[in-house]
Amino acid sequence: MRLKQAFRGALARLPKLPVPGVLRRAGALVATPYQALARALYRRMPKGLFTRTLLIIVIPLVVMQAVLAFVFLERHYNLVTQRLSDAVVRDISLIVRLTESSAGEEEFQRLAQMARSDLGLAITLLPPEPLPPPRPKPFFDIVDRYLSQQVAARIGKPFWIDTVGRSSFVELRIKLENGVLRVIARRSQTYASNSHFFIVWMVSTSLVLVVIALLFLRNQTRPVERLATAAESFGKGRPIEDFRPSGAREVRRAAQAFIEMRRRIERQIEQRTTMLAGVSHDLRTVLTRFRLQLALFPASEEVRALQRDVDEMKTMLEDYLAFARGEGDEQAQPTDIGLMFEELEAEAEILGAAVTSHLQGPPEVTLRPSAFKRALTNLVTNAARHGDRLNIDGRNADGWLTITIEDDGPGVPVEERENVFRPFYQLDHARNRDSGGSGLGLAIARDIVRAHGGDIVLGESETLGGLRARVRIPV
């Protein structure tokens, strides 16, 4: 009882360690190099599905073969070599005893004949002389190691061994009382030399399996690539030709879901376009009736004000319908961007702005020409209304078409650069002092560019000091 109380008192006097803090620090020490290693591997690992799946197949196969080769070659062949060397040393030990007990040269010749015919060993009795100096030992030669151990253990006489000089044979010299016995044996008698058969069979079968896996894997990843291509084309507004579900069951389900989604989107766009066409026709009929009725009234300031209101309503109606329709019924086709730049220059010059343009890269790009020209026209006319100089720069490279439109106008504040893309949103008079727009120009432009799979970003022009609009779409 006293011992237990003393033990508890000693435990109570021990300093209490902050276990959670220590564990957190230890976890951080382990997690930091692990995260660094994971990030390094992620940067260097391939990103494609085919390559990653191939690595998943090949790496375990290589590791398994390496383990099998180590276990089989290191254990099995070492054991076989040890037993073969032991058998040869037993034969040599018997020959040593018979040589020491032989009566003369004639009896030794009979012994040499029997050793050659029955044991496969060539023996010669040399005159008494010192053994040659030891040869350098090979680092990985297990024959030299096992033979030396067996000769030292079983024969127990001074010996000299050479397993390097003659690659197909092993030479052994043993010092006897009446001479030096030289024994030459084939290397295959002391070493399991058929290891290459195992390597050849292992490598060849692995190559055949990898080729078969490549064929099956390619057939499995091709439907995924076709689905990704179809989705990318649909996102860019381009037609999708000859696409049907194929591949594994899960890939077929994904492809079928994509087809159904595309049909629903196209049906919704078609219904919206049809409805807007009807609304446009009805509203334009009413506006035309207003214009005819106003034409019948005598000219006055009130009539002219009403005519201006009708014209403004017509402009706002066309902008709204263009924004709601989004040019969704137009098909993508190869378009000359250089020719489009010339038309944009003409539009800006009509508004009184000085324009320069430059296009780098191939001029032909597949897109919806009318819609894309409308988006660029909105940006160019907006820049021409608020600036005196414009610069249109295009670059088609690395799978992207980038168009930059810069002006020397007052620009747009940083906090307002996202708000200006909202429909019907207008800035103060700093940017809209002369414009009578409806606030849909930039919204229409971004809607069209995003329908092509790209986006519009506003910034500050470094060359002209005004606003910079950068349009970027995949090609």
Side-chain angles (χ1 to χ4, degrees), residues 38-51:
R39 287 194 296 267
L41 289 177
Y42 178 78
R43 288 193 297 267
R44 288 168 174 79
M45 288 294 289
K47 304 300 185 292
L49 175 63
F50 179 80
T51 312

Side-chain angles (χ1 to χ4, degrees), residues 42-63:
Y42 178 78
R43 288 193 297 267
R44 288 168 174 79
M45 288 294 289
K47 304 300 185 292
L49 175 63
F50 179 80
T51 312
R52 288 188 174 185
T53 310
L54 182 62
L55 289 179
I56 293 174
I57 295 175
V58 171
I59 290 178
L61 183 63
V62 172
V63 172

Side-chain angles (χ1 to χ4, degrees), residues 169-209:
F169 298 92
V170 175
E171 181 179 356
L172 183 66
R173 298 186 184 186
I174 303 172
K175 189 171 185 180
L176 305 178
E177 294 180 357
N178 56 346
V180 176
L181 179 65
R182 185 176 68 176
V183 181
I184 297 177
R186 293 189 305 274
R187 193 179 185 87
S188 58
Q189 292 179 263
T190 60
Y191 177 66
S193 59
N194 58 347
S195 59
H196 61 282
F197 291 109
F198 174 76
I199 301 296
V200 170
W201 274 102
M202 183 177 66
V203 173
S204 59
T205 53
S206 300
L207 291 177
V208 172
L209 292 176

Side-chain angles (χ1 to χ4, degrees), residues 341 393-397 400-404 470-473:
F341 276 12
D393 183 70
R395 184 174 182 268
N396 184 7
W400 291 88
L401 173 63
T402 305
I403 299 176
T404 304
R470 176 167 293 172
V471 179
R472 193 167 186 259
I473 63 171

Side-chain angles (χ1 to χ4, degrees), residues 455-468:
D455 201 356
I456 300 178
V457 179
L458 299 182
E460 183 178 355
S461 174
E462 298 179 356
T463 57
L464 299 181
L467 183 67
R468 180 193 66 196

Side-chain angles (χ1 to χ4, degrees), residues 251-269:
V251 180
R252 287 175 178 268
R253 288 181 57 189
Q256 190 63 40
F258 167 74
I259 292 175
E260 294 297 329
M261 179 192 68
R262 186 189 66 177
R263 288 175 180 172
R264 287 193 296 269
I265 293 175
E266 291 176 348
R267 186 161 54 255
Q268 181 183 5
I269 294 175

Side-chain angles (χ1 to χ4, degrees), residues 318-377:
E318 291 177 352
D319 289 343
Y320 172 72
L321 292 175
F323 171 72
R325 186 170 63 248
E327 304 291 345
D329 55 347
E330 187 183 9
Q331 298 296 326
Q333 59 185 2
T335 305
D336 192 341
I337 300 298
L339 182 60
M340 188 178 294
F341 276 12
E342 295 179 2
E343 297 175 356
L344 293 174
E345 289 184 16
E347 293 282 346
E349 289 173 354
I350 292 175
L351 296 176
V355 188
T356 58
S357 65
H358 175 71
L359 177 63
Q360 179 182 357
E364 190 172 280
V365 177
T366 301
L367 44 78
R368 290 181 288 183
S370 298
F372 194 70
K373 181 184 176 183
R374 180 179 180 85
L376 295 183
T377 301

